[in-house]
Amino acid sequence: MALRKQEFADLETISGKPIAQSILDVEQSIDTLRYFAKQVPNGRVCEDGYTIREPMGVVGLITSFNYPLLLTTWKMAPALAAGNTCLIKPAMQTPHSALLLGHICNKIHKDAVQIVLGDASVGKALVNHPDVDMISFTGSTPAGKAIALDCARELKPCTLELGGKNAAIVFEDCDMEKTLDLVMWGAFANMGQNCCAISRLLIQDSIYDQFVERLVEKTRSMAIGDPRDPKTEIGPLVDEAQATKVQRFIDAHPQKPILGGNRSDLFIEPTIYSHVEDSCALAQDEIFGPVLAILKPYSV
């Protein structure tokens, strides 16, 4: 895999992810595999006995489109290290790196890792198959609820990594430059297509105006363009459906953004709103796009 790092990065970038970030994702995926490869020994001696590695059997691994290779290795590496075999269903939009990884794995052992492709119906079949002993899913909260119900009926173990609506809180004694950088990348890395993205921002009243002005200035300089260009920081969203979903949030909000809000094909500019009411959709719902809602200033 390390010998084909650029090939993996190019496949990740098909989704719109900037190539510089794709390379980092590939490197972290390699590190993940190497880490769990060291966890393979059968047991570890404890003070009062042994910790025994006991495989579940066949595990179904269902990933989302935003971090195709990372999510696959995060699930696959510990599963293999524990002695399981893996059935991996990547997202329909981004199967490319999983297919290459499966090809490499099959050169080592043809039965340990298999890739299955398809839409949600394939995922449901995987979840409900009697020969699949465990499910690990990353994706939307509604899909996760459905999977949890299906698994519960058969008492099948499952792990779920679902949506998020994450807030960052900025205090007046922060390191301004460092915090601006953390907030900008936390909000707009991977075009905001992160379950852990900063999508709500709370700023103390004493520095509110200054921080907002500096954040807008810094974000305005982000390079939007061809994701294959190493200088690009913001690429297109993964597909038309995702771009349309994000655009609906922008169109529905009654206030105009203080930055961005424009769309061209699958590209949506980094978009910032200020003085957002806590009860509105921008502050409550997962957008999964390059939109940051700065709530009204708070006092301490």
Side-chain angles (χ1 to χ4, degrees), residues 1-298:
M1 185 174 174
L3 295 175
R4 304 176 74 170
K5 183 169 71 173
Q6 187 61 50
E7 187 177 354
F8 272 105
D10 290 340
L11 291 174
E12 290 287 277
T13 298
I14 292 174
S15 70
K17 187 190 299 286
I19 186 67
Q21 185 175 333
S22 294
I23 291 171
L24 291 176
D25 288 0
V26 175
E27 291 172 346
Q28 290 178 29
S29 298
I30 293 168
D31 289 343
T32 298
L33 291 168
R34 286 173 172 162
Y35 172 82
F36 281 102
K38 298 176 182 177
Q39 314 303 315
V40 170
N42 288 334
R44 298 192 304 276
V45 177
C46 301
E47 291 182 3
D48 58 348
Y50 289 88
T51 300
I52 303 298
R53 178 173 58 85
E54 187 174 276
M56 294 296 299
V58 179
V59 295
L61 312 177
I62 304 172
T63 62
S64 65
F65 65 77
N66 54 336
Y67 287 92
L69 186 62
L70 265 179
L71 289 171
T72 299
T73 55
W74 286 349
K75 295 176 186 297
M76 183 188 80
L80 290 175
N84 300 286
T85 57
C86 300
L87 282 173
I88 301 171
K89 194 201 92 62
M92 287 181 62
Q93 305 98 316
T94 54
H96 315 91
S97 55
L99 286 168
L100 179 56
L101 182 60
H103 174 71
I104 292 173
C105 289
N106 276 305
K107 289 186 175 182
I108 302 169
H109 192 297
K110 67 177 182 178
D111 296 324
V113 175
Q114 299 293 330
I115 313 296
V116 293
L117 302 179
D119 59 12
S121 66
V122 175
K124 186 173 181 62
L126 188 63
V127 169
N128 288 290
H129 199 286
D131 291 334
V132 175
D133 301 292
M134 180 180 175
I135 292 293
S136 176
F137 170 78
T138 298
S140 72
T141 300
K145 288 180 179 179
I147 287 172
L149 288 172
D150 284 343
C151 288
R153 278 190 283 269
E154 301 299 328
L155 296 180
K156 182 179 295 187
C158 69
T159 61
L160 305 173
E161 182 189 6
L162 308 178
K165 188 65 180 175
N166 313 289
I169 303 174
V170 179
F171 290 88
E172 63 183 3
D173 61 349
C174 71
D175 180 324
M176 182 72 73
E177 294 302 322
K178 182 178 180 179
T179 306
L180 284 165
D181 195 61
L182 289 171
V183 168
M184 184 186 76
W185 285 109
F188 301 117
N190 203 32
M191 294 70 71
Q193 297 171 129
N194 297 314
C195 62
C196 56
I198 296 174
S199 55
R200 295 182 295 157
L201 182 62
L202 295 96
I203 307 170
Q204 193 168 352
D205 52 4
S206 57
I207 61 166
Y208 189 93
D209 292 339
Q210 178 191 8
F211 194 92
V212 170
E213 181 180 351
R214 293 285 306 281
L215 182 62
V216 167
E217 177 186 352
K218 187 175 184 67
T219 305
R220 197 191 307 274
S221 68
M222 296 187 82
I224 304 173
D226 186 338
R228 296 168 296 182
D229 186 339
K231 296 179 181 179
T232 293
E233 296 170 318
I234 298 290
L237 273 69
V238 68
D239 60 15
E240 177 65 29
Q242 188 62 25
T244 299
K245 175 188 172 185
V246 174
Q247 188 65 52
R248 287 197 191 106
F249 278 99
I250 295 172
D251 294 341
H253 192 68
Q255 298 170 298
K256 290 185 177 181
I258 58 175
L259 180 70
N262 298 310
R263 175 183 174 185
S264 175
D265 196 14
L266 300 184
F267 289 84
I268 294 181
E269 296 173 335
T271 301
I272 300 176
Y273 291 88
S274 68
H275 295 85
V276 172
E277 294 284 349
D278 188 53
S279 59
C280 75
L282 289 184
Q284 293 292 323
D285 299 336
E286 184 179 40
I287 301 171
F288 224 65
V291 179
L292 174 63
I294 305 176
L295 276 62
K296 292 182 176 180
Y298 71 90

